[in-house]
Amino acid sequence: QVHLVESGGGVVQPGRSLRLSCAASGFSFSSDSMHWVRQAPGLGLEWVAFISHDGNNKYHADSVKGRFTISRDNSKNTLSLQMDSLRPEDTAVYYCVKDRGGSWTFDFWGQGTLVTVSS
Amino acid sequence: QSALTQPRSVSGSPGQSVTISCTGTSSDVGGYNFVSWSQQHPGKAPKVMIYDVSKRPSGVPDRFSGSKSGNTASLTISGLQAEDEADYYCSSYAGSYTWVFGGGTKLTVL
């Protein structure tokens, strides 16, 4: 079955960088687009970034554009999110989400990794 | 991208039906049939219950149904069960490779 495991979260100071990873298994990773979605503590969900199955098309939410970069390595079945110039408002659980394919909706969610931006 | 509008909370007794609304604009909910609903229990990852407005993924009970009229999508849960108590989030494709979520609705089973 589909399995998505995020890692790389932690506590980081404002202005610093962090790189999140998501290990995918149980499906043909190279055939599916992927997303990152985040959830600030006690708040709702916010879409962060999308990457096409081959990595050629990448899109980011305005709130992170120019600071975050989504990428993937299909040879390692891994999705990544490079987060630079972090701000306190970036504090959230970050979820790796599989795109449904053939439909612009979400399919399967990972368990998430917590990022805390604080001095 | 603006968030979709959901009621903060809804409630119902076991066996009853409840409906959660999700209001957007013609640029998201009204413009595409790519609305999904996700269920999230406390401390857990979300799980997709409805996609493409009204389709159910394999394994989701048929007590869960979705619909859309204009700029408003709805999730209906019939025959409420205790395990349905959770937060529910709607989401919609908003064009140009962007997606938007609702603020979430807390469902309480009385």
Side-chain angles (χ1 to χ4, degrees), chain B residues 68-92:
Chain B
K68 189 184 84 167
S69 177
N71 297 336
T72 298
S74 298
L75 172 70
T76 297
I77 308 171
S78 59
L80 267 180
Q81 298 182 4
E83 59 262 36
D84 299 334
E85 184 163 296
D87 292 329
Y88 291 85
Y89 292 91
C90 64
S91 61
S92 175

Side-chain angles (χ1 to χ4, degrees), chain A:
Chain A
Q1 71 275 24
V2 175
H3 208 50
L4 299 169
V5 180
E6 300 92 338
S7 61
V11 180
V12 60
Q13 294 180 328
R16 304 296 290 264
S17 299
L18 204 62
R19 187 177 183 87
L20 304 183
S21 295
C22 171
S25 60
F27 65 103
S28 179
F29 180 72
S30 61
S31 298
D32 284 306
S33 300
M34 299 291 294
H35 303 261
W36 285 100
V37 175
R38 68 184 180 183
Q39 184 171 33
L43 297 181
L45 300 166
E46 179 188 16
W47 172 76
V48 173
F50 165 91
I51 187 168
S52 59
H53 68 96
D54 57 5
N56 288 336
N57 297 291
K58 306 176 184 182
Y59 300 88
H60 301 80
D62 289 343
S63 58
V64 306
K65 201 170 292 183
R67 300 187 300 121
F68 290 12
T69 302
I70 190 172
S71 63
R72 66 191 297 160
D73 185 340
N74 285 345
S75 68
K76 297 181 179 178
N77 285 2
T78 300
L79 176 73
S80 297
L81 184 68
Q82 176 66 39
M83 304 186 295
D84 299 323
S85 303
L86 281 162
R87 305 167 179 169
E89 54 264 36
D90 295 321
T91 294
V93 174
Y94 285 74
Y95 294 102
C96 166
V97 187
K98 176 181 173 295
D99 188 82
R100 183 160 295 277
S103 162
W104 293 120
T105 60
F106 306 106
D107 185 10
F108 190 85
W109 297 65
Q111 288 299 308
T113 186
L114 176 62
V115 173
T116 302
V117 183
S118 173
S119 54

Side-chain angles (χ1 to χ4, degrees), chain B residues 47-66:
Chain B
K47 173 187 175 183
V48 177
M49 306 303 281
I50 295 289
Y51 69 96
D52 288 359
V53 176
S54 60
K55 298 177 181 177
R56 279 188 310 276
S58 174
V60 172
D62 59 6
R63 301 185 295 104
F64 291 83
S65 62

